[in-house]
Every structure is written in structure tokens, then in C-alpha cells.
Amino acid sequence: MTYYDYIRTQVEAGLWTQTQAVFGRNAQALDLYYRIYNLVLKYEPQKTYGYASRIAANESIYSQIGGDIRIR
């Protein structure tokens, strides 16, 4: 089971916010990685060549992540 699978199971069960305490400082990073990977699976499910660049250039993904990150 990957971290993504574990977190997805916790999110689906409604337990992720309580489970984050177990991960300490890493919980915020794991939550961010989980949200980013969900968006990768949504926008690039096949993960064809160059998908990372397309994901990085997609402004709508940044707005969904919740950050104020912009590529200049």
C-alpha cells in the first residue's frame, strides 16, 4: 500500500484530519502531495510523455491546490 492509497482510504472514511496527528510535521507535506496527485490523476490519468510539464504549466491546478504559486 502506498502513502497515496493509505491517505485516500483515510479521506474516504472521513478520518484523514484526525490521522494527520500521527505524521507530525510531515502531515502538511503528505496532504499537499495527496492533493497534487489527485489532480494529476484527474488531468493526466495516462501520464503520457511530458505530463509533468503540462501539469506544472496548468494555472487551474494551482488554484485548486490553494497556493499562490505562479510560474514566471
Side-chain angles (χ1 to χ4, degrees), residues 10-38:
Q10 295 297 309
V11 168
E12 289 170 354
L15 300 171
W16 177 233
T17 54
Q18 293 85 5
T19 307
Q20 287 181 14
V22 174
F23 293 103
R25 285 194 234 163
N26 295 328
Q28 188 175 12
L30 286 172
D31 188 57
L32 177 63
Y33 296 155
Y34 171 77
R35 289 186 289 137
I36 290 171
Y37 195 64
N38 268 338

Side-chain angles (χ1 to χ4, degrees), residues 1 3-4 6-7 10 13-15 17 19 23 25 28 33-34 37 39 41-43 49 51 55-57 59 64 69:
M1 176 179 271
Y3 280 117
Y4 175 79
Y6 176 78
I7 294 170
Q10 295 297 309
L15 300 171
T17 54
T19 307
F23 293 103
R25 285 194 234 163
Q28 188 175 12
Y33 296 155
Y34 171 77
Y37 195 64
L39 293 170
L41 292 176
K42 177 181 176 182
Y43 287 96
Y49 180 80
Y51 82 94
I55 290 288
E59 288 284 329
Q64 292 178 48
I69 304 167

